[in-house]
Amino acid sequence: MNQLSDFENLRLRAYFSHLATSLGFIPDLKLVSVAHMVSNAITFLPALADVAPVALVLPKPKTEKTEEAKQIRALGFPMQTLTRDWAKEVSGVVRAVKKHVGNRERVILVDIGGYFSQSLNGIADGLGGRLVGVMEGTENGVQKYESSGLTYRVPVVTVARSPLKLPEDYHVGTGIVFSVEAVLREQAQILQTRTACVIGYGRVGSSVAEVLRGRGIPTVVHDRSPIAMAEAAARGFQVLRRLDDALRMSSLIISATGGHALDRRALASLKSGAMIATVTSADDEFVEEDLKLYRPSRVSSSITRYDSEGQRYFWLVNNGNPANFLHGAVIGPAMQLIKGEKMAAIHALAHGTYVKNGNFVGEVSEEARVKVAEIWNEHFLDD
């Protein structure tokens, strides 16, 4: 097993190195990167540094004390505690960036989840025009920038809507269900005893729903988007327009919205004994003050029980953070396609070669995506 792991890691490093060489190093640029502290980050952050130096790493909340975080810190990457409130406070962000970035160096924020959607213009002003822009990796993050109501003075380039992200979205859905089943088995339960509700029928949510249905689990879907609900219904899912109705009939909830779907009303609608798992971070899916209305008690390293003042309770997987992170989060080399596009997106943002799709949102060119795929094919496909 160790030999296989070593081989795969070497192949992955060779792929990233090849891609970075093809893109070229940008010496006058520094990256400030939000990152999940999971195993893939141990390889990917050094790969980013081959495109431009990573000046500061911002661990996603509740992941900065993981074993992977210790390994990343040992690689020499400085870290700063990240919260939604800290990211909104312009002066603190600017101070942290200036501490690690020279006065004449440009900066790109590598975001996962729209952390700087409220503060971006202030950060740009505070850095005196040296902020090139943001590379956003997630759909819920892009939506936070798009729905902010602000007119940004720097571009946001995203990979979230790329066809190269489709393999990752599918594998994440598979990983979520795998981890939920593993947690259930820890409690001497099986997946097939549950009825499921998937909240959010986007790329990942639709994958989760398909995997659950493929396992024979009765699955209902809810989404705020009428278009997404119509698509789910057309694909044969039972779709409920009211979230509380969907929750009352389900004993397994998987939330994939990034839009604080699990608020006070949603939690009050849960069946007692329901299990909740999420696809995104806890601070994206829960309203924190509403979750505090319930009394937590840790059952194991992977599950927490939350009790109300009455007899109702629910189980929460992985503290509300992505369930698949319990088991490494990375499933196969196809996940690395979008990591490669992130490197290409940073390069395109730095050189202004991205394709503009809106007032401030851009994507990498089709030519750049083809190059990423060609290099990936060379390293991971058989001749």
Side-chain angles (χ1 to χ4, degrees), residues 32 44 51 74 98 104 109 111 123 133 152 169 175 181 202 204 209 215 220 236 244 254 261 271 365 381:
V32 174
F44 184 57
V51 176
K98 285 185 174 180
R104 296 185 179 181
L109 300 175
D111 201 357
I123 295 170
Y152 295 118
D169 293 336
E181 183 168 29
V204 178
R215 299 294 303 278
V220 300
D244 49 358
I254 300 181
K271 275 178 141 181
S365 66
L381 297 187

Side-chain angles (χ1 to χ4, degrees), residues 262-270 286-297 305-314 316:
L262 296 169
D263 58 11
R264 182 175 308 197
R265 177 172 175 172
L267 294 176
S269 300
L270 292 172
F286 291 90
V287 176
E288 186 175 0
E289 293 305 312
D290 294 346
L291 189 59
K292 288 180 179 178
L293 296 173
Y294 296 81
R295 184 176 68 256
S297 54
R305 174 170 163 153
Y306 281 79
D307 287 88
S308 69
E309 301 239 341
Q311 301 298 313
R312 293 178 58 257
Y313 69 94
F314 60 87
L316 182 59

Side-chain angles (χ1 to χ4, degrees), residues 64-293:
E64 64 181 332
K65 295 182 180 179
T66 63
E67 183 58 37
E68 290 83 359
K70 295 177 184 177
Q71 294 179 52
I72 290 167
R73 191 176 283 108
L75 292 173
F77 293 108
M79 295 186 186
Q80 162 72 45
T81 297
L82 174 67
T83 66
R84 290 280 174 193
D85 289 339
W86 178 84
K88 290 177 184 177
E89 207 272 300
V90 171
S91 61
V93 176
V94 171
R95 278 197 305 271
V97 173
K98 285 185 174 180
K99 180 179 178 181
H100 298 280
V101 176
N103 292 332
R104 296 185 179 181
E105 292 174 315
R106 298 184 297 158
V107 180
I108 287 178
L109 300 175
V110 181
D111 201 357
I112 304 175
Y115 278 87
F116 306 104
S117 58
Q118 297 298 317
S119 56
L120 185 56
N121 284 337
I123 295 170
D125 291 342
L127 293 177
R130 293 184 292 124
L131 182 63
V132 177
V134 174
M135 197 291 292
E136 170 58 56
T138 65
E139 176 62 26
N140 81 81
V142 179
Q143 291 178 13
K144 283 182 171 65
Y145 284 101
E146 290 177 330
S147 64
S148 69
L150 300 173
T151 300
Y152 295 118
R153 293 190 283 277
V154 295
V156 177
V157 172
T158 183
V159 301
R161 294 159 182 173
S162 168
L164 296 188
K165 200 172 190 299
L166 291 172
E168 180 188 52
D169 293 336
Y170 174 76
H171 286 306
V172 167
T174 302
I176 292 289
V177 176
F178 172 90
S179 292
V180 166
E181 183 168 29
V183 170
L184 280 168
R185 287 186 177 275
E186 288 177 6
Q187 303 303 314
Q189 300 181 43
I190 59 173
L191 188 63
Q192 283 71 19
T193 63
R194 298 270 167 168
T195 56
C197 170
V198 176
I199 312 173
Y201 195 76
R203 283 184 169 188
V204 178
S206 61
S207 296
V208 170
E210 291 288 354
V211 173
L212 286 168
R213 180 163 64 178
R215 299 294 303 278
I217 311 304
T219 302
V220 300
V221 170
H222 172 82
D223 197 293
R224 292 175 181 173
S225 164
I227 294 173
M229 286 194 290
E231 180 184 352
R235 293 182 180 274
F237 288 100
Q238 181 181 5
V239 179
L240 297 182
R241 289 183 292 172
R242 289 173 54 90
L243 176 58
D244 49 358
D245 289 339
L247 294 174
R248 288 190 188 103
M249 64 185 295
S250 305
S251 54
L252 170 62
I253 317 299
I254 300 181
S255 192
T257 69
H260 299 105
L262 296 169
D263 58 11
R264 182 175 308 197
R265 177 172 175 172
L267 294 176
S269 300
L270 292 172
K271 275 178 141 181
S272 188
M275 173 176 282
I276 301 175
T278 72
V279 169
T280 59
S281 302
D283 62 350
D284 285 325
E285 292 297 336
F286 291 90
V287 176
E288 186 175 0
E289 293 305 312
D290 294 346
L291 189 59
K292 288 180 179 178
L293 296 173

